[in-house]
Amino acid sequence: METLRERKKQRTREALLRTALEMFTAQGYDDTTVDDIARAVDVSQRTFFRYFAGKEEAALALQDMTVARLLEAVRERPAHEAPMDALRQAVLEGWDTLNEVIEAVAPVEVFLRMYQVIESTPVLLAAHLRRSVEIEEALARILADREGVDLAADPRPRLTVAVFGGVMRLTERRWSGGRDHSLDALRTLAVSHLEGIGPALSESWRTH
Amino acid sequence: METLRERKKQRTREALLRTALEMFTAQGYDDTTVDDIARAVDVSQRTFFRYFAGKEEAALALQDMTVARLLEAVRERPAHEAPMDALRQAVLEGWDTLNEVIEAVAPVEVFLRMYQVIESTPVLLAAHLRRSVEIEEALARILADREGVDLAADPRPRLTVAVFGGVMRLTERRWSGGRDHSLDALRTLAVSHLEGIGPALSESWRTH
DNA sequence: AGGCTAGTGACAGTCACTGACAATTGACAA
DNA sequence: TTGTCAATTGTCAGTGACTGTCACTAGCCT
C-alpha cells in the first residue's frame, strides 16, 4: 500500500499534467504560462518545476509514456522478422494498446490533439524531434542486439532506424497537416509510407 | 556602391556574428549570454536582437548560409539522375564549395566546430532539427518539380527526402561523435551511409 | 507525543526576448 | 552647407521560463 504522502504527490502531478494538457490544447502552448497552470491547480509555480523539468516536459509527457512500450514491443518481436518489419509491427502494436498506457492520465483524444499542438508549435516540435533522436539511438541498440551485430562496427542498425525514423516523422507531419486526425488515419498513412520506401528509392519515377 | 549606412550595418552584423560564433565555440553556447556578445561588440543587447531573431539564429547562421546553395545545386542536377543520386551529388557539391559561401564570415574550421557545438547542445540540436524539416519540405518540392509529379498526390518526393534527411542526420551525428572532424571524413561517412541504405533495408542481416 | 524529513511556498535573481520612446546619425534636397 | 527626414541605436521597463535558498508545514516513524 502506498503512503499518503505518495498518493498526494501522484495526485498533484496528475492534476498539473491534466491541467497543462487541457490548457495547451484549448488555448495553445505559447499562450499558456506556467503560472497559469500552477494557479489553476492551486500550487506555486515552483512546485510545477519540481514535477516537470520544464514546460516542454509536461507537453510531451503523453508521447513519452508510449516510448517505453514501443521499445519493449520491438524487443519482443519474433526473431525471424526483418528489422524494418519488426519496427513497423511494434509501432502499430503500440498504437493498438495506446489507451492502456495513457488512460490513467488522459483519453486518447487528448493524446492525438497534443500531436497537432506539437506539430504546430515550433519550440515543441523542436523538442519533439530532439527526443526522437534519443529514441532512435535506443532502437538501434535493440536492433543490433536482436540481429546479433556489433553496433560500433556495423552501421546497418542505425541506418535502418534513421530511415524508419525519417519516414515516421514524415507520417506525423502529413497526418497532422491533413484532415482526418483519427488514429486509424495515422495507422494507414504509416503503413502506406513504409511500403512506399522501396518504390520511392527506385531509379526514376518518370518511367512510371 | 553601397551607402555608408549599409556598410555600417553590415559591419555590425558581421561583428556580432563573428563574436557570437567565437564565443560559442570557445566557451559553449549555454555559457555565452547575449549580453556577453553585445558587450564584446560594444552595442546594446537590444541591437543584437535587431540583427538576429534570437540567440539560436546566430548560432545556426553559418549552416543556414549553405542551404540556399544546396537547393540550387539540386535544381541544377542533370535530369537523368535518380532523385536520391541528385540529392547526394548536390550535398557533396555543397561541401566542395563550402568555403566560397561562408568565407566572408568565418573559416570552414569554425563552420565545422559549430557543428560539434550544435550536436552537443540540446536546445541548439532541437532548433537545428526543426530547421531541417523546413529544408526537407523545400527539397521535396524541388524533386517533385524535377520529376514532374504532383506533390499533393504523390508521396514519393517527400518519402525520398525523408529517407535522405534521416540518413544525413545520422551522418552528422556519427561524424560529430567520432574522432575525425574533417570535412573529408564527413564526405566519406555520408557516401558510405547512402550506399548502405539498400543493404540495411534487406530482409535479414544474419545471413550476412 | 515529539523529532525527523519530504514537500511546499515565498522570494530573489538570471537570462532570453519584446515594446515603447527618446536620442543620434546618415541621406538627401534646397 | 544646412536643415529636414528617416533609419539606427540605446535606454528602460516588463514578461516568461527557470533556478537557488530558506523557512515552514505536514506526513512519518519511534
Side-chain angles (χ1 to χ4, degrees):
Chain A
M1 182 66 188
E2 279 178 323
T3 162
L4 166 63
R5 204 180 262 175
E6 280 167 333
R7 264 175 289 147
K8 249 186 159 173
K9 267 178 65 175
Q10 194 64 25
R11 252 179 285 148
T12 304
R13 195 196 138 86
E14 276 180 21
L16 279 169
L17 187 49
R18 254 194 282 267
T19 306
L21 295 176
E22 194 180 323
M23 296 180 86
F24 291 158
T25 51
Q27 51 178 96
Y29 179 78
D30 289 329
D31 289 340
T32 306
T33 71
V34 174
D35 282 305
D36 288 339
I37 302 166
R39 202 175 311 119
V41 180
D42 199 45
V43 297
S44 71
Q45 188 222 46
R46 195 69 184 83
T47 292
F48 176 91
F49 287 110
R50 288 197 177 99
Y51 284 94
F52 301 96
K55 204 175 141 185
E56 285 172 9
E57 195 178 290
L60 300 176
L62 284 185
Q63 272 67 22
D64 243 31
M65 293 171 72
T66 66
V67 171
R69 188 77 136 211
L70 171 66
L71 301 185
E72 261 321 297
V74 176
R75 260 189 281 265
E76 286 167 3
R77 280 275 102 199
H80 61 80
E81 267 181 343
M84 193 58 105
D85 291 334
L87 293 175
R88 185 189 68 233
Q89 290 307 113
V91 167
L92 294 176
E93 209 172 285
W95 285 337
D96 284 336
T97 61
L98 185 57
N99 194 50
E100 299 170 24
V101 180
I102 64 170
E103 67 184 347
V105 180
V108 174
E109 190 184 81
V110 171
F111 178 93
L112 296 178
R113 273 201 281 138
M114 269 311 296
Y115 247 118
Q116 323 292 323
V117 175
I118 292 167
E119 289 283 335
S120 60
T121 308
V123 49
L124 266 190
L125 178 58
H128 175 64
L129 294 173
R130 179 166 48 76
R131 283 174 177 229
S132 41
V133 171
E134 286 153 29
I135 298 171
E136 285 180 25
E137 178 62 21
L139 285 174
R141 265 197 288 271
I142 293 171
L143 278 197
D145 218 49
R146 237 180 80 95
E147 306 291 322
V149 302
D150 180 14
L151 190 58
D154 194 333
R156 286 177 301 177
R158 284 199 232 274
L159 217 32
T160 302
V161 170
V163 170
F164 177 79
V167 172
M168 289 309 296
R169 266 170 271 127
L170 172 62
T171 302
E172 295 170 355
R173 194 162 76 239
R174 290 193 64 204
W175 173 76
S176 75
R179 287 159 220 74
D180 188 349
H181 292 149
S182 70
L183 193 51
D184 222 61
L186 183 56
R187 252 190 291 261
T188 308
L189 196 57
V191 170
S192 137
H193 281 164
L194 289 168
E195 281 172 353
I197 295 179
L201 262 47
S202 69
E203 282 304 302
S204 171
W205 306 333
R206 274 163 297 194
T207 54
H208 190 61
Chain B
M1 181 66 188
E2 279 177 324
T3 162
L4 165 62
R5 200 178 261 173
E6 280 167 334
R7 263 174 290 146
K8 247 184 159 175
K9 267 179 63 175
Q10 194 65 25
R11 251 179 286 148
T12 304
R13 194 196 140 84
E14 275 178 21
L16 280 169
L17 186 49
R18 254 193 282 268
T19 306
L21 295 175
E22 194 180 323
M23 297 180 86
F24 291 158
T25 52
Q27 52 178 96
Y29 179 78
D30 290 329
D31 290 339
T32 306
T33 70
V34 173
D35 282 304
D36 288 339
I37 301 166
R39 203 176 309 119
V41 180
D42 199 45
V43 296
S44 72
Q45 188 223 46
R46 196 68 183 83
T47 293
F48 175 92
F49 287 109
R50 288 197 176 99
Y51 284 93
F52 301 97
K55 205 174 138 184
E56 285 172 8
E57 196 178 289
L60 301 175
L62 284 185
Q63 271 67 22
D64 243 32
M65 293 170 72
T66 66
V67 171
R69 187 78 135 211
L70 171 67
L71 300 185
E72 262 320 298
V74 176
R75 260 189 281 265
E76 286 167 3
R77 280 274 103 198
H80 63 79
E81 267 180 343
M84 193 58 104
D85 291 333
L87 293 175
R88 185 189 67 233
Q89 289 307 112
V91 166
L92 293 176
E93 208 174 284
W95 284 337
D96 283 335
T97 61
L98 184 57
N99 195 50
E100 300 170 24
V101 181
I102 63 169
E103 68 184 344
V105 180
V108 174
E109 191 184 81
V110 171
F111 177 93
L112 296 178
R113 272 201 282 138
M114 269 311 295
Y115 247 118
Q116 324 290 324
V117 175
I118 292 168
E119 289 284 334
S120 61
T121 308
V123 48
L124 265 190
L125 178 58
H128 175 66
L129 294 173
R130 180 166 47 77
R131 283 172 181 232
S132 43
V133 171
E134 286 153 28
I135 298 170
E136 285 180 25
E137 178 62 22
L139 285 174
R141 264 197 290 271
I142 293 171
L143 278 197
D145 218 50
R146 235 181 80 95
E147 306 291 321
V149 302
D150 179 14
L151 190 57
D154 194 332
R156 287 178 300 177
R158 286 204 227 286
L159 216 32
T160 301
V161 170
V163 169
F164 178 78
V167 172
M168 289 310 295
R169 266 170 271 127
L170 171 62
T171 302
E172 295 170 356
R173 195 163 74 238
R174 289 193 63 203
W175 172 76
S176 75
R179 287 159 220 73
D180 188 349
H181 292 150
S182 69
L183 193 51
D184 222 60
L186 184 56
R187 253 190 292 258
T188 308
L189 197 57
V191 169
S192 138
H193 281 164
L194 289 169
E195 282 172 354
I197 295 179
L201 263 46
S202 70
E203 283 303 301
S204 171
W205 306 333
R206 275 163 294 195
T207 53
H208 191 66

